[in-house]
Structure formats: structure tokens, C-alpha cells
Coordinates of all heavy atoms in Angstrom, one line a residue:
R178 N -108.5 -0.8 103.3 CA -108.2 0.4 104.0 C -108.8 1.7 103.3 O -109.0 1.7 102.1 CB -106.7 0.6 104.1 CG -106.0 1.0 102.8 CD -104.6 1.5 103.1 NE -103.8 0.5 103.8 CZ -102.9 -0.3 103.3 NH1 -102.7 -0.3 102.0 NH2 -102.2 -1.1 104.0
P179 N -109.2 2.7 104.1 CA -109.7 3.9 103.5 C -108.6 4.5 102.6 O -107.5 4.5 102.8 CB -109.9 4.8 104.7 CG -110.0 3.9 105.9 CD -109.1 2.7 105.6
Q180 N -109.1 5.0 101.4 CA -108.2 5.6 100.4 C -107.8 7.0 100.8 O -108.6 7.8 101.3 CB -108.9 5.6 99.1 CG -109.4 4.3 98.6 CD -108.3 3.3 98.3 OE1 -107.3 3.7 97.7 NE2 -108.4 2.1 98.8
R181 N -106.5 7.3 100.6 CA -106.0 8.6 100.8 C -105.5 9.2 99.5 O -104.6 8.6 98.9 CB -104.8 8.6 101.8 CG -105.3 8.1 103.2 CD -104.1 8.1 104.2 NE -104.5 7.7 105.5 CZ -103.6 7.6 106.5 NH1 -102.4 7.9 106.4 NH2 -104.1 7.2 107.7
F182 N -106.2 10.2 99.0 CA -105.9 10.8 97.7 C -104.8 11.9 97.8 O -104.8 12.6 98.8 CB -107.1 11.4 97.1 CG -108.2 10.5 96.9 CD1 -109.5 11.0 96.8 CD2 -108.0 9.1 96.7 CE1 -110.6 10.1 96.6 CE2 -109.1 8.3 96.4 CZ -110.4 8.7 96.4
T183 N -103.9 11.9 96.9 CA -103.0 13.0 96.6 C -103.4 13.5 95.2 O -102.8 13.1 94.2 CB -101.5 12.6 96.7 OG1 -101.3 12.0 97.9 CG2 -100.6 13.8 96.5
L184 N -104.4 14.4 95.2 CA -104.9 14.8 93.9 C -104.0 15.7 93.2 O -103.4 16.6 93.8 CB -106.3 15.5 94.1 CG -107.4 14.6 94.7 CD1 -108.7 15.4 94.8 CD2 -107.6 13.4 93.8
Q185 N -103.9 15.5 91.9 CA -103.1 16.4 91.0 C -103.7 16.3 89.6 O -104.4 15.3 89.3 CB -101.6 16.1 91.0 CG -101.3 14.6 90.6 CD -99.9 14.3 90.6 OE1 -99.1 15.0 90.0 NE2 -99.5 13.3 91.4
K186 N -103.4 17.2 88.7 CA -103.8 17.2 87.4 C -102.9 16.2 86.6 O -101.7 16.4 86.5 CB -103.9 18.5 86.8 CG -105.1 19.3 87.3 CD -105.3 20.6 86.6 CE -106.7 21.2 87.1 NZ -107.0 20.9 88.5
L187 N -103.5 15.2 86.0 CA -102.7 14.1 85.4 C -103.2 14.0 83.9 O -104.4 14.0 83.6 CB -102.9 12.8 86.0 CG -102.5 12.6 87.5 CD1 -102.9 11.3 88.0 CD2 -101.0 12.7 87.6
D188 N -102.2 13.9 83.0 CA -102.5 13.5 81.6 C -102.4 12.0 81.6 O -101.4 11.4 81.9 CB -101.5 14.2 80.7 CG -101.8 13.9 79.2 OD1 -102.7 13.1 78.9 OD2 -101.1 14.5 78.4
L189 N -103.5 11.3 81.2 CA -103.5 9.9 81.2 C -102.7 9.3 80.2 O -102.2 8.1 80.3 CB -105.0 9.4 81.0 CG -106.0 9.8 82.1 CD1 -107.4 9.2 81.8 CD2 -105.6 9.3 83.5
R190 N -102.3 10.0 79.1 CA -101.6 9.4 78.0 C -100.2 8.9 78.4 O -99.9 7.7 78.1 CB -101.5 10.4 76.9 CG -102.9 10.8 76.3 CD -102.7 11.9 75.3 NE -101.9 13.0 75.8 CZ -101.4 14.0 75.0 NH1 -101.5 14.0 73.7 NH2 -100.7 15.0 75.6
P191 N -99.4 9.7 79.1 CA -98.1 9.1 79.4 C -98.2 7.9 80.4 O -97.3 7.0 80.4 CB -97.3 10.3 80.0 CG -98.3 11.3 80.4 CD -99.4 11.1 79.4
L192 N -99.2 7.9 81.3 CA -99.3 6.8 82.2 C -99.6 5.5 81.5 O -99.1 4.4 81.8 CB -100.5 7.1 83.2 CG -100.3 8.4 84.1 CD1 -101.4 8.4 85.1 CD2 -98.9 8.4 84.7
V193 N -100.5 5.6 80.4 CA -100.8 4.4 79.6 C -99.5 4.0 78.9 O -99.2 2.8 78.8 CB -101.9 4.7 78.6 CG1 -102.1 3.6 77.6 CG2 -103.2 4.9 79.4
Q194 N -98.8 4.9 78.3 CA -97.6 4.6 77.5 C -96.5 3.9 78.4 O -95.9 2.9 78.0 CB -97.0 5.9 76.9 CG -95.9 5.6 75.9 CD -96.3 4.9 74.7 OE1 -97.3 5.3 74.0 NE2 -95.7 3.7 74.4
E195 N -96.3 4.5 79.6 CA -95.3 3.9 80.5 C -95.7 2.5 81.0 O -94.9 1.6 81.1 CB -95.1 4.8 81.7 CG -94.4 6.1 81.3 CD -94.6 7.2 82.4 OE1 -95.0 6.9 83.5 OE2 -94.3 8.4 82.1
T196 N -97.0 2.3 81.2 CA -97.5 1.0 81.6 C -97.3 0.0 80.5 O -96.8 -1.2 80.7 CB -99.0 1.0 81.9 OG1 -99.2 1.9 83.0 CG2 -99.5 -0.4 82.3
A197 N -97.5 0.4 79.2 CA -97.2 -0.5 78.1 C -95.7 -0.9 78.0 O -95.4 -2.1 77.8 CB -97.6 0.2 76.8
V198 N -94.8 0.0 78.3 CA -93.4 -0.3 78.3 C -93.1 -1.3 79.4 O -92.3 -2.3 79.2 CB -92.6 1.0 78.5 CG1 -91.1 0.7 78.7 CG2 -92.7 1.9 77.3
L199 N -93.6 -1.1 80.6 CA -93.4 -2.0 81.7 C -93.9 -3.4 81.4 O -93.3 -4.4 81.6 CB -94.1 -1.5 83.0 CG -93.4 -0.3 83.6 CD1 -94.3 0.2 84.8 CD2 -92.0 -0.6 84.1
L200 N -95.1 -3.5 80.8 CA -95.7 -4.8 80.4 C -94.9 -5.5 79.4 O -94.7 -6.7 79.5 CB -97.1 -4.6 79.9 CG -98.2 -4.2 81.0 CD1 -99.5 -3.8 80.3 CD2 -98.4 -5.4 81.9
R201 N -94.4 -4.8 78.4 CA -93.6 -5.4 77.4 C -92.3 -6.1 77.9 O -91.7 -6.9 77.3 CB -93.2 -4.4 76.3 CG -94.4 -4.0 75.4 CD -94.0 -3.0 74.3 NE -95.2 -2.5 73.6 CZ -95.5 -1.2 73.5 NH1 -94.8 -0.3 74.1 NH2 -96.6 -0.8 72.9
N202 N -91.9 -5.6 79.1 CA -90.7 -6.2 79.7 C -91.0 -7.0 81.0 O -90.1 -7.2 81.8 CB -89.7 -5.0 80.1 CG -89.2 -4.4 78.9 OD1 -88.2 -4.8 78.3 ND2 -89.8 -3.3 78.5
S203 N -92.3 -7.4 81.2 CA -92.7 -8.1 82.4 C -92.7 -9.6 82.1 O -92.7 -10.1 80.9 CB -94.0 -7.6 82.8 OG -95.1 -8.2 82.0
T204 N -92.9 -10.4 83.2 CA -93.0 -11.9 83.0 C -94.4 -12.3 82.6 O -94.6 -13.5 82.3 CB -92.7 -12.5 84.4 OG1 -93.6 -12.0 85.4 CG2 -91.2 -12.3 84.8
D205 N -95.3 -11.3 82.5 CA -96.7 -11.7 82.1 C -96.9 -11.8 80.6 O -97.9 -12.1 80.1 CB -97.7 -10.6 82.6 CG -97.9 -10.7 84.1 OD1 -98.4 -11.7 84.6 OD2 -97.6 -9.7 84.8
I206 N -95.8 -11.4 79.9 CA -95.9 -11.4 78.4 C -94.9 -12.3 77.8 O -93.9 -12.6 78.3 CB -95.7 -9.9 77.9 CG1 -96.2 -9.8 76.5 CG2 -94.2 -9.5 78.0 CD1 -96.2 -8.3 76.0
D207 N -95.3 -12.9 76.6 CA -94.3 -13.7 75.9 C -94.4 -13.3 74.4 O -95.1 -12.4 74.0 CB -94.6 -15.2 76.1 CG -96.0 -15.6 75.7 OD1 -96.5 -15.1 74.7 OD2 -96.5 -16.5 76.4
A208 N -93.7 -14.1 73.6 CA -93.6 -13.7 72.1 C -95.0 -13.8 71.4 O -95.1 -13.2 70.3 CB -92.7 -14.7 71.4
S209 N -96.0 -14.5 72.0 CA -97.3 -14.5 71.3 C -98.2 -13.3 71.6 O -99.3 -13.2 71.1 CB -98.0 -15.8 71.8 OG -98.3 -15.8 73.2
H210 N -97.7 -12.4 72.5 CA -98.5 -11.3 72.9 C -98.0 -10.0 72.2 O -96.8 -9.9 71.9 CB -98.4 -11.0 74.4 CG -99.1 -12.1 75.2 ND1 -98.4 -12.9 76.1 CD2 -100.4 -12.4 75.3 CE1 -99.3 -13.7 76.6 NE2 -100.5 -13.5 76.2
R211 N -98.9 -9.1 71.9 CA -98.6 -7.8 71.4 C -99.4 -6.7 72.2 O -100.5 -7.0 72.6 CB -99.0 -7.7 69.9 CG -98.8 -6.4 69.3 CD -99.1 -6.4 67.8 NE -99.2 -5.1 67.2 CZ -99.4 -4.8 66.0 NH1 -99.5 -5.8 65.1 NH2 -99.4 -3.5 65.5
I212 N -98.7 -5.6 72.4 CA -99.4 -4.5 73.1 C -99.4 -3.3 72.2 O -98.3 -2.8 71.8 CB -98.7 -4.2 74.5 CG1 -98.7 -5.4 75.4 CG2 -99.3 -3.0 75.2 CD1 -98.0 -5.3 76.7
D213 N -100.6 -2.8 71.9 CA -100.8 -1.6 71.1 C -101.3 -0.4 72.0 O -102.0 -0.7 73.0 CB -101.7 -1.8 70.0 CG -101.2 -2.7 68.9 OD1 -99.9 -2.9 68.9 OD2 -102.0 -3.2 68.1
V214 N -100.9 0.8 71.7 CA -101.4 1.9 72.5 C -102.1 2.9 71.5 O -101.5 3.2 70.5 CB -100.2 2.6 73.2 CG1 -100.7 3.9 73.9 CG2 -99.6 1.7 74.2
V215 N -103.2 3.4 71.9 CA -104.0 4.4 71.2 C -104.1 5.7 72.1 O -104.5 5.6 73.2 CB -105.4 3.9 70.8 CG1 -106.1 5.0 70.1 CG2 -105.3 2.7 70.0
Q216 N -103.7 6.8 71.5 CA -103.8 8.1 72.3 C -104.5 9.2 71.5 O -104.4 9.3 70.3 CB -102.3 8.6 72.6 CG -101.4 7.5 73.1 CD -101.5 7.4 74.7 OE1 -102.6 7.6 75.2 NE2 -100.5 7.1 75.3
S217 N -105.2 10.0 72.3 CA -105.7 11.2 71.7 C -104.6 12.2 71.4 O -103.5 12.1 72.0 CB -106.7 11.9 72.7 OG -107.9 11.3 72.8
A218 N -104.8 13.1 70.4 CA -103.8 14.0 70.1 C -103.6 15.1 71.2 O -102.5 15.6 71.5 CB -104.1 14.7 68.8
E219 N -104.8 15.4 71.9 CA -104.7 16.4 72.9 C -104.6 15.7 74.3 O -104.9 14.5 74.4 CB -106.0 17.3 72.9 CG -107.3 16.6 73.3 CD -107.9 15.7 72.2 OE1 -107.3 15.7 71.1 OE2 -109.0 15.2 72.4
P220 N -104.2 16.4 75.3 CA -104.1 15.9 76.7 C -105.4 15.3 77.1 O -106.5 15.8 76.8 CB -103.6 17.0 77.5 CG -102.9 17.9 76.6 CD -103.7 17.8 75.3
V221 N -105.3 14.3 78.0 CA -106.5 13.7 78.6 C -106.3 13.9 80.1 O -105.7 13.1 80.8 CB -106.7 12.2 78.3 CG1 -108.0 11.7 78.9 CG2 -106.7 12.0 76.8
I222 N -106.8 15.0 80.6 CA -106.5 15.5 82.0 C -107.6 15.1 83.0 O -108.8 15.4 82.7 CB -106.3 17.0 82.0 CG1 -105.3 17.4 81.0 CG2 -105.9 17.5 83.4 CD1 -103.9 16.9 81.2
V223 N -107.2 14.6 84.1 CA -108.1 14.3 85.2 C -107.5 14.7 86.5 O -106.3 14.9 86.6 CB -108.5 12.8 85.3 CG1 -109.2 12.3 84.0 CG2 -107.2 12.0 85.5
D224 N -108.3 15.0 87.5 CA -107.9 15.2 88.9 C -107.8 13.9 89.6 O -108.9 13.3 89.9 CB -108.8 16.2 89.6 CG -108.7 17.6 89.1 OD1 -107.6 18.1 88.9 OD2 -109.7 18.3 88.9

């Protein structure tokens, strides 16, 4: 389907962090997996 954008200024860092939290509690992960997150000190902003 054609994409419909709702553009806004987003800092990518919290989106990555929140995804990591969800993954750590998902059925796709088990005790043999580890998830690390690396972030810039400054915001990473995109439209």
C-alpha cells in the first residue's frame, strides 16, 4: 500500500532503547541472547 507519513521530529535514541526493552521481554529471545544499546550523547534527530 502507498505509505502515508505523519512527519515529526524524532530522537532515534529513545526508540532504540524502547525496542531493546520490548525485545528483552519477547518470545524471540532466550537466556543465550544478550541485547546491548549504544547511544550518542547528543540527540539524533530526524524528520
